[in-house]
Amino acid sequence: MNTMQRFLIMHIYEGRSRREIARLTGIHRETVGKYIKQYEKRRVQLLAVGSATVDENK
């Protein structure tokens, strides 16, 4: 499991804050935040594409 995946699991499934993840992993808080923001942005893009595909098939 790569670093970004660990951060996301800790944040989404375990409910840990960015600050707590940074403290536990030794990675800077802003780096943790950057990875989480990248995930959230990509998730929104994928959901938008998915809903557009569903709408086209109606």
Side-chain angles (χ1 to χ4, degrees):
M1 179 179 332
N2 70 34
T3 303
M4 187 173 185
Q5 290 170 329
R6 279 194 2 231
F7 293 164
L8 294 172
I9 288 170
M10 293 172 82
H11 181 69
I12 295 168
Y13 296 108
E14 297 176 10
R16 297 185 187 271
S17 69
R18 295 170 187 191
R19 187 178 305 261
E20 185 178 12
I21 294 168
R23 187 172 36 80
L24 291 170
T25 61
I27 304 296
H28 195 277
R29 179 179 46 87
E30 291 178 8
T31 303
V32 173
K34 180 179 83 171
Y35 286 155
I36 292 171
K37 283 180 186 178
Q38 286 174 354
Y39 163 77
E40 290 170 348
K41 181 179 178 182
R42 184 65 178 141
R43 181 178 174 270
V44 168
Q45 290 172 343
L46 289 171
L47 289 173
V49 169
S51 65
T53 304
V54 170
D55 290 340
E56 291 172 2
N57 291 331
K58 285 184 178 181

